[in-house]
Each structure stands twice: as structure tokens, then as C-alpha cells.
Amino acid sequence: FTLPSVKLTFKKSKIECEGTEALVAHFPKLSFKTKLNFKPWDIQEEAIKSWIENEHLGTISLPTGSGKTKIGEMAIHDIGLLRTLVVAPTVELLHQWRASIIKDLGVPEDKVGIYWGGEKQIRDITIITFQSGHRKISEEQEDVDEDVDEESEKLVEKIISLSEESALIILDEGHHAPAPVFQRIMVGVKSPYRLSLTATPYREDKND
């Protein structure tokens, strides 16, 4: 994420820079309130606290089984009545995110949309994938194809477009995305609040 480095540069140059709170003023508000229907683990509370203290920006890297989805949900709850965009690496995880948000945050089903293939629902909380129907990204895949097919390109463009009305973007397992896809998303998104969740800070294609 580039915003912290930009703000640091401004600070060193004695140029005033607004905090992220001021940047979210024009973003659409949610039509409902979320609630946490689970008790967070200590490790989850520590992780989200660090993210909040970093002005709602950054990457949280925790081992598999640490409940990273729950941390993402805590981030959605923390920012209050603001739209959120979740980017999942696979269609399977896209559906898992939707079911979990509905259950864990008490969000009405018609307020959580999914965007992929034949289902293109844009809601207060929208979950989209950067995986096209022509390629598969999985933990077992050792050699990640760098080519970005036409369908993936359209999905990336949609992610960037949706971020213009989403105060928070959550990128789940971003290290699984091909480097060109990851870079385009990170550079192009407009969301002032940003959270990347991963089990490893290192990319499978070595393009860290």
C-alpha cells in the first residue's frame, strides 16, 4: 500500500496531508449496522488493533487457522457505516466470505453481493474475485502464470471501479494473485482504508 509512504514523504517535506478519516467523508454509507456475533481471539484483537493504529492501512500476516476472515469482519465492523469491497482469490472463497459475513456480522443477505461470472450483484458489501474462469489459483500451484487473460483483466478493472465507492477494501490471500494483477489492484484502488490478509508475506511467484 502506497498511502503511508506518501504521507511520510509529505511529513518530511513539511507538507500538510489529511488523515484517512477526512478521505472517507464522500463514500456511501451502509443502510444497516453490523454487530460482532463472535468473541475474537487475543491474536485477532491484537492484529486489528495494530491495523487501526496504522490508520486502517496495511497487511496482516498470520498462520493458517488464525481466523483471518474474522479479522476482516472486525475491520468491517470497526469502520462503521461504510461500504466495503472484499477481493477473494477464488470463487469458493468468495462464497465462503459472503456466508461468513452474513452470519458473523448479522448483515441482511440482500446487502451482501457477489461479483463473478453470471452473478454480478453490487451491494453495500460486495465480494469479488480476481480469478477468471480460464485459470485457477491454488495453494498447491507452484508456477503461477504471469499472463492476465481478458476475463481477469475485466475483473481487475471492476475491482478498481468498485473501490471508488468503497471506503474499505480487503484483499484476501493477495500473494496468490499473479504479480501484474496484484500490482494493478494495489496501485489502482481508491479505497482509503485498506487491509491485506495473508498466511505468508512472500509471493508464490517470488515477485515480492
Side-chain angles (χ1 to χ4, degrees):
F1 297 116
T2 60
L3 187 55
S5 60
V6 171
K7 293 177 68 175
L8 179 60
T9 300
F10 279 10
K11 183 177 181 180
K12 289 181 178 179
S13 302
K14 297 182 179 180
I15 299 174
E16 291 188 6
C17 180
E18 291 184 326
T20 49
E21 293 81 1
L23 299 177
V24 303
H26 72 283
F27 281 88
K29 303 297 188 293
L30 297 182
S31 58
F32 55 88
K33 290 185 177 181
T34 59
K35 57 182 178 180
L36 287 181
N37 291 325
F38 63 91
K39 180 176 175 54
W41 299 339
D42 290 344
I43 191 173
Q44 294 167 342
E45 290 185 332
E46 291 173 4
I48 202 69
K49 179 182 178 181
S50 296
W51 177 73
I52 292 170
E53 291 176 348
N54 196 47
E55 299 194 48
H56 299 85
L57 294 164
T59 296
I60 292 177
S61 178
L62 290 172
T64 300
S66 301
K68 291 185 291 296
T69 299
K70 292 285 194 297
I71 293 174
E73 293 168 346
M74 292 166 70
I76 295 173
H77 180 67
D78 176 76
I79 66 169
L81 302 175
L82 291 169
R83 279 193 176 184
T84 296
L85 178 64
V86 179
V87 183
T90 65
V91 177
E92 179 182 5
L93 285 175
L94 176 148
H95 288 287
Q96 289 180 12
W97 265 96
R98 183 177 188 274
S100 186
I101 287 173
I102 292 171
K103 176 183 177 182
D104 292 342
L105 294 180
V107 179
E109 291 188 17
D110 63 345
K111 301 299 182 182
V112 185
I114 55 176
Y115 195 102
W116 180 84
E119 298 182 87
K120 294 180 171 58
Q121 310 160 355
I122 299 175
R123 302 289 188 267
D124 288 336
I125 298 175
T126 301
I127 309 160
I128 189 171
T129 179
F130 49 70
Q131 174 191 321
S132 75
H134 302 295
R135 66 186 306 278
K136 182 172 178 60
I137 304 168
S138 68
E139 294 184 1
E140 292 77 18
Q141 184 177 359
E142 295 181 357
D143 298 320
V144 181
D145 185 4
E146 289 296 320
D147 294 332
V148 181
D149 57 61
E150 183 177 351
E151 187 176 347
S152 290
E153 179 71 20
K154 290 180 179 178
L155 287 169
V156 171
E157 289 294 336
K158 193 62 183 179
I159 290 169
I160 293 173
S161 174
L162 290 174
S163 74
E164 295 179 358
E165 293 191 350
S166 302
L168 168 65
I169 183 170
I170 298 174
L171 184 62
D172 186 24
E173 301 294 355
H175 65 283
H176 285 310
V181 171
F182 184 84
Q183 291 168 1
R184 287 208 56 205
I185 293 174
M186 291 300 94
V187 172
V189 295
K190 305 299 189 297
S191 306
Y193 294 156
R194 308 178 183 190
L195 172 62
S196 178
L197 299 168
T198 180
T200 171
Y202 304 106
R203 298 182 46 77
E204 293 180 343
D205 54 12
K206 311 303 181 183
N207 290 317
D208 300 320

